[in-house]
């Protein structure tokens, strides 16, 4: 399996001819969290010591941090205590010395080392070091000395750990009210954290002992449920009932509602439904939410007829409760999905009248117009679309409202002198949108040349100098301290204050290969410059040719468009190799371990370890292979994108149900909200990348016909 030995800031170091103490293989292994990283670092250290190289301290720093990460505190302490490094790295050496001393049980030595890190460290390091300084002083029995550090640290980052430690320091300084407040916050706000039970035990041991109210038990129960701790949720509710806190009908209904959700999570459906029956007998707010839970479960199980019936009942029975808003919206949406367009118009019209302050009014208006379009009532559709644009001028739905207004004119038979300018207005007002792409295709079909969305392609500022703000990050990367380097870059980017600074910084990051950080800076500071003023230098940070060698090489190998790879990468990870999702998708292309194993099997390769999926080269290769297979099966980037997001079987199902529609309508009726948005962005980005960088291949057109997928092909 081919590997590369540099990415991001590491690439710059290798490219500038600087002396690197660690071998490239060691740095790559560290960056990818490979099992052999520590042994490689130890070999580098031994080799350096044998040759008396001047970088022994820097290598010892890396080897020591790796020993710490594997729990070998004695080895780490030996390596770090005797190390000597140049000034930029000294605060980090002090910090990791403090870590080694602390875990070796020498809290006093740890505090002294953390103090040096606080004194000399950059802001990114100082906040971490201050928290550890407070913890070390506390462990050394110096709670009063720890108090100032912990007060600051817990205020800056109120985590369960810091709040718990600050409570101990507050107790030592006589601030019993502050101690109780911190312990209670830990117990209630972080109920799934190990410190929560300890905090609760301390509060119950005080005189007078703290006794939680029913509301506080419910807060803990909901927090445990959100953390996936359904069994502990049930235990928390049992404590409240054992204390006889649920006295009234309202109390019992609130408990029953949370219990039902926990029972569903543990697979006890019958008991859950019994609990919901109790909840529905409670006050309106609880009863409405209980009924809405039932309706949502029907929706998730694809029982749309039942879900529609239940949603309508929620809205009718509890019109003034919060869930009535969502329920009313789903009534219209389910009518639309079922092809009951006339009923959908009525449902969304009623929704607009009943829920004048709903956050979904613009979306409801859009779907009402779509129902009119499906019934070929184009004039009525334009009335609703015009109202949407006038009422919600800042809505993200405005570009599609303008496109469909123009499209409705064309479907009605209007001449090109009406439809042409309307499509052109979509392109000029939202040049980076999916609807600008559709408008361009419609103009081509009408025999008109679309106006350029962007007069100039992205342009990167050229400079060979590493900006002063990033020199520490480069030094940290050179030492193999990748996570520290990332935190330093993040700290620097968070302090950008104006567009000029942002533009300069973003391009410095692009030159360093930090595409994800450059994109983040652009998204925060340069949106108007890129898509309003169309400044090519701003566009470069939004649409970089990230990891170009790997993308182009793998795209060529697997015969897939490199622009599609970049478009998927931009949507999946925003060019950040370190990203992991809640579903355990990893890396630039967000490949999950089971998919990686399936790809490895197809390629007759050993299964990669999950940590290897953070490797840019591996992620790009697997992503390019998978996209190539999807394109072979689905023959259209819209369907390939839908399959990448929701799975091939879902994409096949949608084509069978609505593949006869033209592409623009087909995409609007993808039933998964996330997938609809995903497909739209990927298509927009794909064709922007093509227009920016694919001049030599000629203009590519988007087919507005949905092809039938092959019966055979990738299915995972």
């Amino acid at each position: 399996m081919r590997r590369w030995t540099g990415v991001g800031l590491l690439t710059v170091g290798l490219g500038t001819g600087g002396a690197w103490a660690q071998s490239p293989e060691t740095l790559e292994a560290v960056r990818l969290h490979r099992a052999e990283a520590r042994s490689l670092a130890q070999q580098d250290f031994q080799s350096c010591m044998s040759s008396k190289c001047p970088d022994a301290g820097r290598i010892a720093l890396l080897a020591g941090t790796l020993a710490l990460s594997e729990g070998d505190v004695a080895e780490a302490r030996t390596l770090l205590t005797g190390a000597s490094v140049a000034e930029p790295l000294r605060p980090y050496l002090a910090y990791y010395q403090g870590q080694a001393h602390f875990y070796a049980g020498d809290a006093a030595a740890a505090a002294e080392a953390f103090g040096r890190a606080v004194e000399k460290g950059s802001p990114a390091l100082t906040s971490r070091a201050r928290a550890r300084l407070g913890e070390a002083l506390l462990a050394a029995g110096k709670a009063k000395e720890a108090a100032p550090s912990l007060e600051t640290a817990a205020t800056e980052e109120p985590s369960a750990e810091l709040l718990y430690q600050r409570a101990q320091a507050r107790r030592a300084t006589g601030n019993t009210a502050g101690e109780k407040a911190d312990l209670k916050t830990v117990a209630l706000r972080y109920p799934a954290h190990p410190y929560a039970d300890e905090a609760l035990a301390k509060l119950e041991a005080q005189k007078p002992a703290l006794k939680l109210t029913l509301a506080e038990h419910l807060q803990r129960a909901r927090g445990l449920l959100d953390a996936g701790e359904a069994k502990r949720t049930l235990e928390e509710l049992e404590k409240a009932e054992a204390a006889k806190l649920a006295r009234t009908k309202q109390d019992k209904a609130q408990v029953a509602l949370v219990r039902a959700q926990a029972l569903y999570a543990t697979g006890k459906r019958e008991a859950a439904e019994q609990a919901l029956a109790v909840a529905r007998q409670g006050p309106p707010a609880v009863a409405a939410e209980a009924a809405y839970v039932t309706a949502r479960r029907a929706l998730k199980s694809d029982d749309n007829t039942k879900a529609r019936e239940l949603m309508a009942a929620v809205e009718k029975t509890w019109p003034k409760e919060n869930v009535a808003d969502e329920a009313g919206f789903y009534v219209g949406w389910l009518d639309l999905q079922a092809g009951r367009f006339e009923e959908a118009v009525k449902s969304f019209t009623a929704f607009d009248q009943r829920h004048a302050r709903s956050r979904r009014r613009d979306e409801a208006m859009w779907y009402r117009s779509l129902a009119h379009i499906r019934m070929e009532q184009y004039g009525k559709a334009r009335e609703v679309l015009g109202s949407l644009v006038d009422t919600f001028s800042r809505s993200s739905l405005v570009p599609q409202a303008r496109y469909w207004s123009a499209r409705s004119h064309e479907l009605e038979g209007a001449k090109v002198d009406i439809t042409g300018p309307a499509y052109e207005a979509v392109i000029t007002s939202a040049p980076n949108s999916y609807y600008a792409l559709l408008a361009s295709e419609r103009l081509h079909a009408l025999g008109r040349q679309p106006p350029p969305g962007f007069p100039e392609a992205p342009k990167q500022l050229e400079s060979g100098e590493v900006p002063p703000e990033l020199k520490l990050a480069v030094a940290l990367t050179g030492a193999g301290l990748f996570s520290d380097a990332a935190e330093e870059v993040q700290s620097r980017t968070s302090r950008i204050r104006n567009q000029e600074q942002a533009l300069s910084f973003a391009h410095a990051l692009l030159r360093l290969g930090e595409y994800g950080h450059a994109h983040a800076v652009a998204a925060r500071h340069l949106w108007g410059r890129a898509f309003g003023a169309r400044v090519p230098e701003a566009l470069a940070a939004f649409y970089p040719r990230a990891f170009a060698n790997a993308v182009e090489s793998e795209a060529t190998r697997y015969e897939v468009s490199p622009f599609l790879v970049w478009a998927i990468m931009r949507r999946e990870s925003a060019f950040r190799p370190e990203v992991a999702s809640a579903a355990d998708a990893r890396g630039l292309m967000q490949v999950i371990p089971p998919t990686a194993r399936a790809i490895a099997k197809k390629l007759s390769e050993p299964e990669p370890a999950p940590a290897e999926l953070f490797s840019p080269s591996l992620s790009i290769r697997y992503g390019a292979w998978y996209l190539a297979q999807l394109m072979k099966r689905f023959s259209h980037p819209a369907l390939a994108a839908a399959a990448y997001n929701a799975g091939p079987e879902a994409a096949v199902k949608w084509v069978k149900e609505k593949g006869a529609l033209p592409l623009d309508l087909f995409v609007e009726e993808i039933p998964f909200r996330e997938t609809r948005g995903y497909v739209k962005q990927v298509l927009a980005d794909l064709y922007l990348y093509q227009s920016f960088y694919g001049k030599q291949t000629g203009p590519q057109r988007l087919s507005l016909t949905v092809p039938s997928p092959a019966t055979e092909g990738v299915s995972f």
Side-chain angles (χ1 to χ4, degrees):
M1 185 179 296
R2 184 176 60 84
R3 299 290 188 200
W4 57 359
T5 56
V7 64
L9 297 168
L10 175 57
T11 308
V12 176
L14 290 172
T16 55
W20 287 76
Q22 294 87 351
S23 66
E25 292 76 17
T26 299
L27 292 171
E28 177 74 347
V30 174
R31 184 176 60 79
L32 298 180
H33 308 285
R34 289 185 183 151
E36 68 270 22
R38 183 184 173 192
S39 62
L40 289 172
Q42 289 173 330
Q43 291 172 21
D44 286 345
F45 179 69
Q46 294 299 329
S47 176
C48 182
M49 292 296 290
S50 298
S51 62
K52 298 181 180 181
C53 79
D55 291 313
R58 187 165 63 168
I59 302 176
L61 173 57
L62 176 59
T65 60
L66 293 173
L68 269 177
S69 69
E70 294 186 11
D72 191 342
V73 176
E75 174 72 8
R77 201 177 187 192
T78 299
L79 286 165
L80 295 169
T81 300
S84 176
V85 296
E87 180 55 42
L89 297 177
R90 284 176 189 167
Y92 289 88
L93 175 60
Y95 177 80
Y96 286 110
Q97 285 173 340
Q99 295 278 67
H101 291 314
F102 186 86
Y103 292 116
D106 192 344
E112 192 274 332
F114 287 133
R116 295 199 308 273
V118 170
E119 182 181 0
K120 299 291 186 180
S122 69
L125 177 63
T126 298
S127 59
R128 279 190 289 152
R130 184 182 291 113
R132 297 310 314 276
L133 171 60
E135 184 180 9
L137 288 169
L138 200 63
K142 299 178 180 180
K144 290 184 179 180
E145 294 180 35
S149 294
L150 290 172
E151 285 290 343
T152 301
T155 300
E156 291 177 347
E157 185 182 347
S159 65
E161 294 88 348
L162 288 174
L163 288 168
Y164 185 78
Q165 291 161 5
R166 187 173 72 176
Q168 297 177 66
R170 284 178 164 181
R171 179 180 180 84
T173 58
N175 183 1
T176 55
E179 176 202 10
K180 289 181 179 179
D182 280 348
L183 291 174
K184 194 169 184 179
T185 298
V186 172
L188 298 181
R189 190 182 298 173
Y190 309 97
H193 194 280
Y195 277 147
D197 289 337
E198 292 186 32
L200 200 55
K202 286 182 179 292
L203 289 167
E204 291 172 346
Q206 293 179 355
K207 295 182 180 180
L210 172 75
K211 293 184 178 180
L212 296 183
T213 65
L214 177 61
E216 289 167 342
H217 277 293
L218 287 171
Q219 182 181 346
R220 278 178 52 82
R222 293 187 183 102
L224 290 165
L225 188 61
D226 290 342
E229 300 277 359
K231 291 183 179 179
R232 291 187 63 195
T233 300
L234 295 171
E235 292 170 1
E236 188 68 30
L237 296 175
E238 288 171 5
K239 291 178 184 178
E241 293 188 321
K244 298 182 179 180
L245 295 175
R247 299 184 181 93
T248 67
K249 187 176 181 179
Q250 177 177 347
D251 293 342
K252 292 176 182 177
Q254 288 181 315
V255 171
L257 177 59
V258 180
R259 176 180 285 115
Q261 293 167 302
L263 288 167
Y264 275 129
T266 57
K268 298 177 181 177
R269 178 178 175 180
E270 185 176 346
E273 291 174 352
Q274 291 173 356
L276 280 180
V278 174
R280 282 194 291 269
Q281 300 305 310
V286 178
E289 190 172 349
Y292 184 67
V293 168
T294 303
R296 287 285 296 177
R297 287 191 63 80
L299 186 63
K300 289 180 179 179
S301 64
D302 287 333
D303 189 351
N304 288 355
T305 301
K306 184 67 173 178
R308 202 260 185 215
E309 175 188 334
L310 293 171
M311 291 291 184
V314 170
E315 186 186 30
K316 181 179 179 180
T317 309
W318 297 281
K320 295 183 180 180
E321 300 303 327
N322 291 336
V323 292
D325 181 332
E326 289 291 300
F329 177 84
Y330 277 116
V331 169
W333 187 83
L334 287 165
D335 283 337
L336 187 67
Q337 285 292 308
R340 298 188 296 268
F341 303 122
E342 189 172 345
E343 288 83 352
V345 168
K346 293 177 181 177
S347 297
F348 282 122
T349 301
F351 175 89
D352 194 56
Q353 294 168 348
R354 294 171 186 162
H355 306 286
R357 297 184 178 180
S358 171
R359 63 181 178 84
R360 288 205 169 198
R361 276 191 69 207
D362 59 341
E363 194 174 3
M365 292 174 76
W366 152 245
Y367 280 125
R368 177 158 43 121
S369 71
L370 181 58
H372 282 304
I373 290 170
R374 296 289 270 123
M375 290 188 290
E376 301 183 3
Q377 297 172 348
Y378 301 121
K380 291 182 178 180
R382 285 194 297 276
E383 288 179 15
V384 180
L385 292 168
S387 181
L388 191 163
V389 173
D390 292 341
T391 307
F392 303 100
S393 60
R394 295 181 178 273
S395 170
S396 62
L397 300 178
V398 167
Q400 74 191 71
R402 288 178 172 155
Y403 169 80
W404 282 105
S405 182
R407 179 67 177 141
S408 70
H409 273 298
E410 184 179 4
L411 290 168
E412 205 171 35
K415 294 183 178 180
V416 70
D417 61 342
I418 294 176
T419 57
Y423 283 135
E424 289 168 358
V426 175
I427 298 170
T428 56
S429 63
N432 60 313
S433 71
Y434 162 72
Y435 294 97
L437 170 61
L438 290 179
S440 295
E441 290 301 327
R442 295 298 177 191
L443 286 169
H444 279 300
L446 292 171
R448 290 174 67 120
Q449 183 65 30
F454 298 95
E456 296 183 65
K459 180 181 179 182
Q460 189 165 327
L461 296 173
E462 298 298 334
S463 174
E465 294 295 322
V466 175
E469 299 93 335
L470 291 174
K471 287 186 176 179
L472 175 56
V474 172
L476 289 166
T477 303
L481 304 181
F482 293 101
S483 62
D484 294 300
E487 287 195 16
E488 174 64 17
V489 170
Q490 181 61 38
S491 174
R492 293 289 182 176
T493 58
S494 68
R495 285 178 276 167
I496 293 172
R497 292 294 177 264
N498 57 64
Q499 291 187 356
E500 289 303 324
Q501 185 184 12
L503 191 63
S504 174
F505 207 83
H507 279 268
L509 290 167
L510 288 175
R511 292 193 299 273
L512 293 171
E514 288 292 338
Y515 307 105
H517 285 300
H519 184 273
V521 169
R524 183 173 180 180
H525 298 283
L526 299 175
W527 189 269
R529 282 207 173 188
F531 305 119
R534 275 72 156 173
V535 175
E537 290 80 6
L539 284 172
F542 281 98
Y543 300 98
R545 284 180 286 188
F547 312 98
N549 290 339
V551 169
E552 291 168 355
S553 173
E554 302 300 353
T556 299
R557 177 190 299 194
Y558 296 117
E559 299 181 336
V560 67
S561 167
F563 308 120
L564 181 58
V565 177
W566 275 314
I568 293 287
M569 186 190 299
R570 185 175 191 267
R571 178 60 181 81
E572 289 287 349
S573 66
F575 313 112
R576 295 173 297 163
E578 76 282 2
V579 171
S581 76
D584 202 27
R586 298 168 179 235
L588 290 169
M589 304 296 286
Q590 288 291 276
V591 180
I592 60 174
T595 298
R597 290 194 291 270
I599 293 173
K601 185 176 181 180
K602 289 286 186 181
L603 296 175
S604 301
E605 294 179 354
E607 292 182 1
E612 287 191 278
L613 298 180
F614 292 111
S615 162
S617 57
L618 183 63
S619 185
I620 290 167
R621 191 157 78 83
Y622 278 12
W625 180 89
Y626 188 56
L627 281 172
Q629 302 309 308
L630 292 176
M631 284 298 294
K632 287 178 182 177
R633 183 172 187 188
F634 291 99
S635 305
H636 197 291
L639 300 182
Y644 200 99
N645 178 257
E649 297 312 310
V652 169
K653 178 176 181 287
W654 298 334
V655 174
K656 286 181 179 178
E657 292 173 348
K658 298 190 177 182
L661 295 173
L663 180 75
D664 50 7
L665 277 176
F666 173 82
V667 171
E668 301 295 2
E669 296 198 20
I670 290 174
F672 292 177
R673 181 190 183 101
E674 178 189 329
T675 305
R676 280 197 306 277
Y678 185 96
V679 170
K680 291 176 183 180
Q681 183 176 330
V682 167
L683 285 178
D685 292 348
L686 165 61
Y687 282 84
L688 282 173
Y689 265 108
Q690 169 67 40
S691 67
F692 290 151
Y693 304 116
K695 306 289 185 178
Q696 68 279 10
T697 62
Q700 297 294 308
R701 298 289 300 277
L702 174 68
S703 172
L704 297 179
T705 300
V706 179
S708 296
T711 55
E712 301 294 328
V714 65
S715 59
F716 56 85

